[in-house]
Amino acid sequence: MLFDQLAYRKTIGFVQAASLALVAAGGALLATPAHAAGDLLVAPTRVVLDGRRGTEVILNNIGDEETTYRISLELRRMMPDGSLEDVAVEDANETEKASLSLIRYAPRRVTLPPDQPQSIRIGLNQVEGLKDGEYRVHMLFRAIPKAPTLVTDPAANNEIKIQLTPLYGITIPVIIRRGDLKATAAIANPRIVDAPGGKALEFDAVRQGNRSVYGDVRVRKDGKGEPLFEAKGIAIYPEIGQRKVSLPLKPEDIAELRGAVTVGYYETLENGGGLIGEVRTVLP
């Protein structure tokens, strides 16, 4: 399942779960919850700027050791299956190259003691002749590895080995919108399919317009107020008009979803929670 609000990049290591209520200040149009990868917590997980003001992203080191993080910008392109593919600068199109020139941010490197928050300020550059449209970069926060530790193994005749420290990186999309941009989306062909590790609810999400669409998916049965199933943070970026969405199901979800249901795609609560599109179907 793709969660746009957080496109995790795993290098090596483990995940440590955590939670923290943080809200980005400034001109961000969205204030999504914080998410952790490794020992780093980032909030918000998605930033949308309208070209008038900048904003902040808050980092917090939730580990036990002081860690230095490097902040950089990347280009990523959404594929029809919903995955995000890295794009080298030399392979970038005109819109992607312009996106890199729009963003300025500071600092680009921070050293954080445990439980120490740090704000990263994000601003916009004025680019002459910039066309109306949606521009996007992905901001990467990654720990700088410390020198490897040398240890001896008594079971191997005191042979010296290098002990590597597991590290993670985390990315969030930074979206800039210029001009009067609109988009609509529809859901088609919902089905339950075989997936790695079990079953998944799969459907096609179709977008029209000149900006991305982002929201939550809820599946309901007539007469029941609460959703039977919900998935947050589903995006369709402007570079594609249609993508496949695949949402893993628990065994107990499958039995409840069978029969007549309504699959709805809604704006996030921060954006009003309005209905983007829905479809009624019968899931076998």
Side-chain angles (χ1 to χ4, degrees):
M1 174 169 54
L2 174 68
F3 287 95
D4 167 55
Q5 78 279 11
L6 181 58
Y8 284 161
R9 165 172 288 187
K10 177 179 177 182
T11 49
I12 54 174
F14 59 92
V15 173
Q16 176 179 352
S19 63
L20 182 67
L22 292 173
V23 175
L29 301 182
L30 295 174
T32 51
H35 283 267
D39 290 333
L40 179 63
L41 193 73
V42 179
T45 59
R46 184 173 184 263
V47 172
V48 180
L49 302 172
D50 61 7
R52 294 191 298 268
R53 302 174 60 189
T55 189
E56 291 181 345
V57 173
I58 307 298
L59 308 185
N60 195 43
N61 176 8
I62 58 175
D64 299 325
E65 298 181 357
E66 182 178 88
T67 305
T68 299
Y69 301 94
R70 180 182 292 116
I71 300 97
S72 59
L73 298 181
E74 295 188 335
L75 294 174
R76 291 185 168 189
R77 194 177 295 162
M78 182 168 274
M79 299 289 104
D81 64 356
S83 63
L84 291 171
E85 184 178 88
D86 290 336
V87 178
V89 175
E90 56 270 22
D91 298 325
N93 58 37
E94 180 181 346
T95 299
E96 291 164 338
K97 290 178 180 177
S99 300
L100 286 173
S101 66
L102 281 173
I103 296 294
R104 66 176 186 273
Y105 62 98
R108 301 194 173 198
R109 175 175 170 144
V110 295
T111 299
L112 299 181
D115 298 319
Q116 177 66 52
Q118 168 74 48
S119 65
I120 306 299
R121 301 180 302 278
I122 302 175
L124 294 176
N125 295 318
Q126 296 297 321
V127 177
E128 187 175 351
L130 184 68
K131 299 177 181 178
D132 287 355
E134 181 171 297
Y135 300 83
R136 184 182 81 254
V137 295
H138 292 258
M139 183 168 281
L140 170 64
F141 308 90
R142 184 157 54 192
I144 297 176
K146 298 177 182 179
T149 302
L150 298 179
V151 296
T152 57
D153 184 359
N157 297 321
N158 290 325
E159 179 182 349
I160 296 177
K161 296 184 178 181
I162 298 177
Q163 183 174 335
L164 298 177
T165 302
L167 296 173
Y168 266 83
I170 185 172
T171 63
I172 65 170
V174 179
I175 296 168
I176 307 98
R177 289 176 178 159
R178 178 184 173 93
D180 184 20
L181 309 181
K182 300 182 184 300
T184 60
I187 292 175
N189 192 26
R191 62 266 185 195
I192 295 177
V193 300
D194 293 325
K199 299 282 188 178
L201 173 64
E202 195 171 274
F203 58 86
D204 302 315
V206 182
R207 182 196 60 83
Q208 291 185 326
N210 52 7
R211 67 169 178 85
S212 61
V213 180
Y214 179 79
D216 305 331
V217 171
R218 301 185 193 114
V219 183
R220 287 187 167 91
K221 281 192 173 179
D222 291 345
K224 293 190 176 182
E226 292 298 317
L228 301 176
F229 178 83
E230 184 171 11
K232 295 182 178 295
I234 307 299
I236 316 172
Y237 288 140
E239 56 265 31
I240 59 173
Q242 178 175 324
R243 62 160 288 195
K244 182 176 70 174
V245 178
S246 185
L247 307 174
L249 296 174
K250 298 177 182 178
E252 57 268 27
D253 294 329
I254 300 171
E256 289 192 347
L257 291 177
R258 296 195 187 280
V261 297
T262 299
V263 182
Y265 188 26
Y266 296 84
E267 295 177 336
T268 61
L269 293 178
E270 294 90 349
N271 272 347
L275 178 65
I276 300 173
E278 68 178 11
V279 63
R280 294 176 180 268
T281 189
V282 176
L283 295 175

